[in-house]
């Protein structure tokens, strides 16, 4: 375990073997996680060593200094030929002397005069944050006269250019229905579609691509698990365990199933920090328990649930379990072999992919035992008017034409985050979360909701004397996008006596400077002084 003033971090939650591995990653982003460690020294460029390369002295050339023979220009400014200075380079602040920026910098587009939206030396693994930001075209968008600050990532994430271009390529060159087509485009489309399934299996550590079922998103995935697998085993009086932290999508399908079958829902409580009380969860199991469904990360509070322990407890009682990974899969490494969940579901649009596509992972035996969820084409081996013979999983759960292009786009999205490294994304976002917790805690009248030791991404709060709608609108007027409301998690918020919160939520393209801007605007809303 690694601790600082704001967070206690468990290396297992981020797919790392021990605290030293996690400390090594975190120390690259924040000296706060490496007490006593001196800040890395900046050194001037030597000769023509590129950004990130090692010059003769063996020291790494760091951000903020000239690393080549070029002239450094501010991020986002255009050189005379009309090209943006960041175009495609890992050393985006350096351009040749022949392409110096004309005199006269553009007017600062941000509310705080000295603010920029990234620190030149900030990196996610080996990739500068400014390079990552340049991969997301929408981050250049202007809102209310300001460049967009996207802090609504728990609702949906923005899409990198390569995902957008992959969708366009599919529709220009591969568009066809999959399977059974005896022509070239059908072959291309099928290869791309099934290739995406294989990519996703590797990304989440599934044993085989046959463990991956494509659905429209997490909500449909949970409904599939309920209707195709759990329903057949339920009798009146049987019990299903949930937790207080669940999204409505992991409550309503089970309520519908309970009403139909006579089963009963039992709910594991959380403490005042928003952490699941494991002893109370364990006490819910009995001879009538048939299934468990729980969120990996709370979308309202950011709590990281102890899913490994919860899964082990369920299995010790002979009970199967589904993990809702909608809010975890984009923030930390997940591995199905290590986690041992029977089902794991997530949505593509939460992990930089398209909307309308999601994934159900299921162990081979539960997918074999599950019944078809919907009927139609593609999922059948043979049909007569007397009977139908179904194909094996995953095909038997994919009736009709699926969202082929979006599955391909999701495959590209997981390739993108894999190229950066989920362990690096997790470490960088944890540093941002710690920084944001400190910054928002200093805002007058602001109370953070959900203070679990293990958190990811979310900074929910209420502001004394100000409605959620007012805060959301005033932040939007400064170009800052957050969610304000109940976040489809009313039981979780009512545990804290609330009907809603304002919810900034983080991704790896966000920066300390954006958090500073958020805190500054919130301080103005609260009537306090702006942060220096």
């Amino acid at each position: 375990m690694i601790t600082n003033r704001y967070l206690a971090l468990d290396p297992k939650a981020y797919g790392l073997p021990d605290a030293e591995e996690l400390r090594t990653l975190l120390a690259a982003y924040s000296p706060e996680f490496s007490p006593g460690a001196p800040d890395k020294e900046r050194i001037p460029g030597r000769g023509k060593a590129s950004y990130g390369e090692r010059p003769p002295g063996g020291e790494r050339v760091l951000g903020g200094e000239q690393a080549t023979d070029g002239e450094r220009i501010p991020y986002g400014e255009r050189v005379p030929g009309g090209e943006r200075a960041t175009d495609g380079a890992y050393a985006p602040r350096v351009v040749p002397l022949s392409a110096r920026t004309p005199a006269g910098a553009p007017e600062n587009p941000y509310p705080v005069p000295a603010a920029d939206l990234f620190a030149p030396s900030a990196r996610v693994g080996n990739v500068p944050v400014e390079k990552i930001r340049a991969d997301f075209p929408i981050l250049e968008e202007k809102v209310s006269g300001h460049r967009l600050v996207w802090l609504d990532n728990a609702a949906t994430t923005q899409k990198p250019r390569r995902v957008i271009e992959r969708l366009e390529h599919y529709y220009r060159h591969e568009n066809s229905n999959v399977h059974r087509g005896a022509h070239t485009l059908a072959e291309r489309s099928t290869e791309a579609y099934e290739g995406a399934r294989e990519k996703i299996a590797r990304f989440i550590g599934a044993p085989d691509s046959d463990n991956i079922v494509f659905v429209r998103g997490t909500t449909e995935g949970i409904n599939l698990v309920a209707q195709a697998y759990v329903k057949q085993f339920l009798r009146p009086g049987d019990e299903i365990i949930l937790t207080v932290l669940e999204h409505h999508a992991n409550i309503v399908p089970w309520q519908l199933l309970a009403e139909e079958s006579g089963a009963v829902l039992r709910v594991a409580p959380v403490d005042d920090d928003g952490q699941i009380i494991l002893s109370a969860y364990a006490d819910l199991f009995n001879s009538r328990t048939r299934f468990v469904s729980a969120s990996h990360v709370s979308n309202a509070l950011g709590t990281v649930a102890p899913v490994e322990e919860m899964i082990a407890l369920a299995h010790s009682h002979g009970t199967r379990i589904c993990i809702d990974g909608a809010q975890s899969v984009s923030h930390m490494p997940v591995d199905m072999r290590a986690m041992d969940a029977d089902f794991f579901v997530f949505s593509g649009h939460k992990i930089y992919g398209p909307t309308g596509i999601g994934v159900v992972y299921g162990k081979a035996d539960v997918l074999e035992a599950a019944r078809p969820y919907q009927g139609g084409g593609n999922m059948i081996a043979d049909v007569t008017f007397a009977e139908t013979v179904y194909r094996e999983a995953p095909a038997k759960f994919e009736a009709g034409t699926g969202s082929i292009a979006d599955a391909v786009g999701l495959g590209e999205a997981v390739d993108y985050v894999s190229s950066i490294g989920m362990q690096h994304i997790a470490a960088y976002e944890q540093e941002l979360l710690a920084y944001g917790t400190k910054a928002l805690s200093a805002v007058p009248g602001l109370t953070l909701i959900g203070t679990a030791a293990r958190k990811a991404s979310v900074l929910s709060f209420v502001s004394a004397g100000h409605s959620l709608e007012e805060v959301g609108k005033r932040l939007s007027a400064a170009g800052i996008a957050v969610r304000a409301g109940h976040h489809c998690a009313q039981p979780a918020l009512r545990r804290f006596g609330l009907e809603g919160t304002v919810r900034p939520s983080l991704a790896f393209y966000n920066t300390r400077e954006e958090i500073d801007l958020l805190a500054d605007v919130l301080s103005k809303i609260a009537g306090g002084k702006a942060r220096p």
Side-chain angles (χ1 to χ4, degrees):
M1 183 73 72
I2 293 179
T3 61
N4 74 352
R5 182 178 174 186
Y6 300 100
L7 294 173
L9 305 180
D10 183 349
K12 290 192 302 181
Y14 307 100
L16 297 171
D18 53 41
E20 189 57 36
E21 288 285 333
L22 182 57
R23 186 184 302 280
T24 299
L25 282 170
L26 291 171
Y29 306 121
S30 175
E32 189 169 12
F33 287 98
S34 184
D39 290 340
K40 294 180 179 180
E41 295 181 359
R42 298 185 185 276
I43 61 173
R46 303 176 184 179
K48 294 190 176 182
S50 299
Y51 184 91
E53 293 183 356
R54 295 184 185 277
E59 297 293 330
R60 188 171 295 279
V61 177
L62 302 177
E65 295 293 336
Q66 184 171 312
T68 71
D69 262 356
E71 181 85 0
R72 187 165 62 90
I73 67 168
Y75 175 79
E77 293 183 21
R78 295 186 182 276
V79 294
E83 292 298 318
R84 192 169 294 278
T86 60
D87 194 20
Y90 269 60
R93 285 183 170 265
V94 182
V95 296
L97 287 170
S98 60
R100 293 180 180 175
T101 305
E107 182 181 353
N108 192 316
Y110 312 116
V112 181
D116 198 351
L117 295 185
F118 60 85
S121 59
R123 302 172 74 85
V124 182
N126 291 323
V127 186
V129 173
E130 58 211 86
K131 167 64 170 63
I132 291 170
R133 290 180 63 84
D135 288 340
F136 290 81
I138 203 168
L139 297 183
E140 295 289 334
E141 192 74 12
K142 293 293 184 68
V143 174
S144 303
H146 308 293
R147 187 190 289 184
L148 173 67
V149 175
W150 185 257
L151 294 173
D152 196 15
N153 295 289
T156 197
T157 52
Q158 299 301 343
K159 318 309 170 194
R161 183 177 287 102
R162 61 188 278 183
V163 169
I164 297 168
E165 291 174 350
R166 184 65 185 90
L167 290 170
E168 181 183 16
H169 179 86
Y170 174 84
Y171 283 118
R172 285 183 178 273
H173 302 289
E174 300 166 333
N175 185 43
S176 168
N177 215 323
V178 294
H179 307 135
R180 297 182 305 282
H183 56 80
T184 299
L185 292 193
E187 292 175 358
R188 291 180 185 173
S189 184
T190 300
E191 182 179 353
Y193 186 63
E194 294 303 331
R197 197 189 305 273
E198 292 171 1
K199 291 177 181 181
I200 292 159
R202 288 194 297 271
F203 180 70
I204 66 171
D208 193 270
S209 62
D210 285 348
N211 297 108
I212 304 299
V213 179
F214 284 129
V215 288
R216 289 180 300 166
T218 303
T219 299
E220 184 175 61
I222 294 170
N223 276 275
L224 186 154
V225 173
Q227 294 296 323
Y229 181 74
V230 180
K231 180 179 179 179
Q232 62 185 308
F233 303 117
L234 288 182
R235 302 293 180 268
D238 286 348
E239 297 179 356
I240 298 168
I241 296 175
L242 308 176
T243 82
V244 169
L245 296 178
E246 303 314 313
H247 188 282
H248 296 170
N250 203 24
I251 299 173
V252 178
W254 305 111
Q255 287 180 332
L256 292 171
L257 194 55
E259 290 170 3
E260 182 179 350
S261 66
V264 177
L265 302 185
R266 306 196 71 189
V267 183
V270 298
D271 62 20
D272 290 342
D273 291 320
Q275 301 169 125
I276 293 171
I277 303 171
L278 265 179
S279 59
Y281 166 77
D283 288 344
L284 294 177
F285 287 89
N286 57 55
S287 62
R288 297 182 301 277
T289 306
R290 294 292 174 265
F291 199 73
V292 180
S293 194
S295 293
H296 194 175
V297 172
S298 164
N299 76 305
L301 307 179
T303 302
V304 179
V307 292
E308 292 84 1
E309 292 91 337
M310 294 173 72
I311 292 166
L313 274 167
H315 288 170
S316 72
H317 290 273
T319 304
R320 301 287 195 171
I321 182 169
C322 175
I323 299 299
D324 172 357
Q327 297 293 335
S328 65
V329 72
S330 63
H331 300 296
M332 60 190 69
V334 296
D335 187 304
M336 294 302 102
R337 291 182 179 89
M339 185 182 289
D340 200 30
D342 299 290
F343 294 97
F344 185 88
V345 298
F346 66 94
S347 298
H349 73 100
K350 305 283 191 182
I351 185 167
Y352 314 102
T355 56
I357 189 67
V359 169
V360 174
Y361 158 83
K363 289 182 176 177
D365 60 336
V366 296
L367 291 181
E368 182 179 359
R371 297 172 176 174
Y373 173 47
Q374 297 173 325
N378 196 51
M379 44 84 76
I380 56 92
D382 186 72
V383 174
T384 69
F385 282 106
E387 67 172 344
T388 295
V389 178
Y390 303 108
R391 296 172 65 194
E392 298 296 321
K396 73 175 176 178
F397 305 110
E398 296 182 6
T401 298
S403 190
I404 303 166
D406 295 327
V408 174
L410 176 55
E412 190 70 23
V414 302
D415 278 351
Y416 176 73
V417 295
S418 296
S419 71
I420 296 167
M422 285 306 304
Q423 73 276 26
H424 299 303
I425 290 172
Y428 177 77
E429 288 184 358
Q430 282 297 308
E431 187 278 326
L432 276 187
L433 182 63
Y435 187 82
T437 300
K438 179 178 180 180
L440 297 195
S441 295
V443 174
L446 187 147
T447 302
L448 289 167
I449 308 299
T451 53
R454 293 177 64 187
K455 282 188 63 174
S457 175
V458 173
L459 289 163
S460 277
F461 67 86
V462 291
S463 182
H466 301 278
S467 70
L468 306 179
E469 183 179 15
E470 176 197 356
V471 174
K473 286 184 174 179
R474 291 186 65 176
L475 288 173
S476 183
I480 303 170
V482 299
R483 188 70 36 168
H486 57 62
H487 318 305
C488 294
Q490 288 171 303
L493 293 177
R494 286 171 179 162
R495 162 62 178 80
F496 296 89
L498 299 169
E499 289 299 318
T501 63
V502 179
R503 185 191 68 186
S505 49
L506 305 169
F508 69 114
Y509 44 60
N510 292 129
T511 65
R512 286 189 177 209
E513 289 70 27
E514 289 181 316
I515 291 171
D516 288 342
L517 180 59
L518 171 68
D520 182 81
V521 176
L522 290 172
S523 293
K524 292 174 181 176
I525 293 171
K529 294 181 179 179
R531 301 173 79 237

